Amino acid sequence: MTTVTKSTDFKVEVTDKVPDYNAAQRIGRRLWAPMWLMAIMAFPIALIIGAARANEIANGGSEATVSSLLHVQAGIMFIGFAAVLAAISFAIARILGAFRKGGGEIQESLGADVVTLRMPPTARVFMMGMMIAMVTLIVASIVHFAWAASVSTGSVTLVESELAFVVLEAVRRLGVALYLVAITFGLATITRVLRFQAIRVRELAQLT
Amino acid sequence: MTYAADARLRPSADADYQAPSVWRSRGIVIALLGLAIAVIAFFGNLVAAGQSGVDQASTLAWTFGVTTTGFALVKTAIAVVLWGIILKLWLRADSIKASLPALVGTPGADSDPNGDVDTPHGKAVVSDRAPGQLPIHKMAKRMFRPMLAMGLMAVIVGLIISFVLAADASSTAASAWMQGLQFLGEAMLLIGISFLLGTILWAIRTAGGDVQEDLGVKVYTPKMPAPAKGFVVLMMLGLMLGIVQFIGYLVVAGGGADAASNLAWLAPLREISVALILSGIALALVAIGNVLGFQFWRIQSLIEAGERS
């Protein structure tokens, strides 16, 4: 016997009117562009600093300057990565918003109950993972700038600076991995929404 | 029009639209595996911070290779979930196609003539038949599999080299090969993901056209939005830089240049190549959001203009 899955087998909310975007979707719609622009500005700046550092090395510049530029370049580059991965996450939230609003408007225009999927656990993991990853990358970048300043003023040794770089690099990499996993969960949420809508639209046809 | 090769990009005829996506579950498992590998490398790096000299260089060599492999696994997971999205998009389109005649009733007459029109969701083209695919769609559909496969292979070869380097940390050539190959692999994996997003845009466009044509109404197709154009440019630029950084590392591996200064600019260059492709991916997702908004608007206008008995 074939089991029929109904839209109400999902965790849903039923309303008369189209529900508004949720907070994450509103933020996603507003912030994807500023984040994207911030990333696009950060990357060339990091590349220029990398070239300046290469020039210092080639010309036998001071080791403190070379070490300081390494921290500055990594800090700016990973602010760029935090921003571009945020732009991707916000764009995914924006897609989820398009499904929520568009699906609701179609149901409302038919005069049917507006059945909307509640936020699935994958979406919660997506948001939490994204926030932890973003904070990790930004904090690591700020600490890079602090070390760059300390190396320039001579308050720390070059060896200490190098060790700090190794630790911060590990933290940054973990932050990026976490961000990518969060994005996977965001995309997994889209798959669930598509399945829900495929079921709901057939129900609407039976109702009319 | 259905292309023979496109059959591999659609769910099988007996696929159940109600069933959960197996690709979604597989993707999540692979992503968590990738994260676990990255966490192992993270602790390895912390150990390296307490080491010095050859021991430190050796630990940093294998942690670099292992971390990048962890990233590659998570990117593979993203590709797997995107594949699941493509299949679910088709099943949703089938549901819409089956339901729309009942939802619309007798379709209202479209007032717009064939050609370009402005809609609340940007410019669109009105035609009698579903439009064909764009050149970028053809390329995306053909290339996502080879790119993902080549990317994974490059990262795995780089991982093996990282273990070789861990055994002899003084080898500049091995270090250059490892970094160049692994970042070329990462760039290729991201290009594979970009092509999958291009395939999703193709699926939405094709399914949207099919649904309208099947209903016997004029076909409204959104024109390629600006974010989609930016996506293509950034993707190509990122791939080119990925190849340039790889060549740069080959030059260093050959010993023909000042290694220290060249490695200093190659490190940010390899990251820029990945960053540009990621910037393009963000734009592709924005374009997908725009096209979905357009399609909901079109379905709603058909329902509102139709006469249900």
Side-chain angles (χ1 to χ4, degrees), chain B residues 2-127:
Chain B
T2 305
Y3 301 86
D6 292 350
R8 290 191 304 154
L9 299 170
R10 293 173 188 246
S12 58
D14 59 345
D16 180 7
Y17 69 93
Q18 301 174 82
S21 166
V22 291
W23 298 101
R24 176 177 178 271
S25 319
R26 288 173 189 170
I28 288 175
V29 170
I30 297 170
L32 293 176
L33 182 64
L35 181 63
I37 289 173
V39 168
I40 291 168
F42 169 75
F43 285 112
N45 263 28
L46 294 186
V47 169
Q51 295 173 321
S52 60
V54 176
D55 287 344
Q56 187 187 54
S58 173
T59 307
L60 289 177
W62 73 258
T63 55
F64 183 95
V66 170
T67 308
T68 315
T69 306
F71 288 167
L73 270 183
V74 185
K75 285 169 189 166
T76 306
I78 289 174
V80 168
V81 175
L82 287 174
W83 176 246
I85 287 178
I86 292 173
L87 299 182
K88 282 290 173 197
L89 267 172
W90 284 115
L91 292 172
R92 174 175 166 271
D94 287 345
S95 286
I96 294 173
K97 200 187 269 190
S99 310
L100 216 48
L103 299 179
V104 171
T106 308
D110 282 308
S111 55
D112 290 321
N114 284 4
D116 292 358
V117 291
D118 285 315
T119 75
H121 292 269
K123 285 197 179 300
V125 180
V126 181
S127 57

Side-chain angles (χ1 to χ4, degrees), chain B:
Chain B
M1 184 188 289
T2 305
Y3 301 86
D6 292 350
R8 290 191 304 154
L9 299 170
R10 293 173 188 246
S12 58
D14 59 345
D16 180 7
Y17 69 93
Q18 301 174 82
S21 166
V22 291
W23 298 101
R24 176 177 178 271
S25 319
R26 288 173 189 170
I28 288 175
V29 170
I30 297 170
L32 293 176
L33 182 64
L35 181 63
I37 289 173
V39 168
I40 291 168
F42 169 75
F43 285 112
N45 263 28
L46 294 186
V47 169
Q51 295 173 321
S52 60
V54 176
D55 287 344
Q56 187 187 54
S58 173
T59 307
L60 289 177
W62 73 258
T63 55
F64 183 95
V66 170
T67 308
T68 315
T69 306
F71 288 167
L73 270 183
V74 185
K75 285 169 189 166
T76 306
I78 289 174
V80 168
V81 175
L82 287 174
W83 176 246
I85 287 178
I86 292 173
L87 299 182
K88 282 290 173 197
L89 267 172
W90 284 115
L91 292 172
R92 174 175 166 271
D94 287 345
S95 286
I96 294 173
K97 200 187 269 190
S99 310
L100 216 48
L103 299 179
V104 171
T106 308
D110 282 308
S111 55
D112 290 321
N114 284 4
D116 292 358
V117 291
D118 285 315
T119 75
H121 292 269
K123 285 197 179 300
V125 180
V126 181
S127 57
D128 294 324
R129 307 292 304 270
Q133 57 192 340
L134 300 174
I136 185 68
H137 295 149
K138 280 187 197 169
M139 191 203 283
K141 289 189 298 173
R142 275 192 201 145
M143 296 299 292
F144 76 82
R145 286 188 182 96
M147 278 293 169
L148 290 170
M150 285 192 293
L152 264 179
M153 280 192 288
V155 170
I156 290 167
V157 174
L159 174 68
I160 294 166
I161 297 174
S162 80
F163 293 137
V164 173
L165 182 63
D168 175 17
S170 63
S171 169
T172 306
S175 171
W177 269 103
M178 174 189 73
Q179 295 177 66
L181 255 182
Q182 285 212 309
F183 267 79
L184 181 65
E186 291 289 324
M188 282 178 161
L189 280 170
L190 287 175
I191 293 288
I193 288 172
S194 304
F195 283 145
L196 270 166
L197 291 170
T199 306
I200 287 177
L201 283 163
W202 160 79
I204 295 174
R205 178 186 165 97
T206 308
D210 284 353
V211 165
Q212 295 174 78
E213 195 180 309
D214 211 52
L215 193 66
V217 295
K218 290 207 170 185
V219 177
Y220 283 60
T221 311
K223 286 194 142 190
M224 190 190 258
K229 291 176 186 167
F231 154 57
V232 176
V233 171
L234 286 169
M235 179 180 72
M236 292 304 172
L237 196 58
L239 180 59
M240 277 194 291
L241 287 184
I243 294 168
V244 168
Q245 66 85 27
F246 179 62
I247 294 169
Y249 276 111
L250 287 188
V251 171
V252 172
D258 176 7
S261 92
N262 279 319
L263 288 175
W265 66 265
L266 280 170
L269 185 72
R270 74 183 188 212
E271 283 165 353
I272 291 277
S273 79
V274 169
L276 287 179
I277 304 171
L278 285 171
S279 307
I281 286 173
L283 291 185
L285 290 165
V286 169
I288 289 172
N290 291 349
V291 176
L292 285 170
F294 174 90
Q295 289 200 341
F296 279 118
W297 164 80
R298 177 62 179 147
I299 293 173
Q300 198 186 346
S301 353
L302 286 170
I303 290 170
E304 285 171 354
E307 284 182 25
R308 275 171 283 145
S309 52

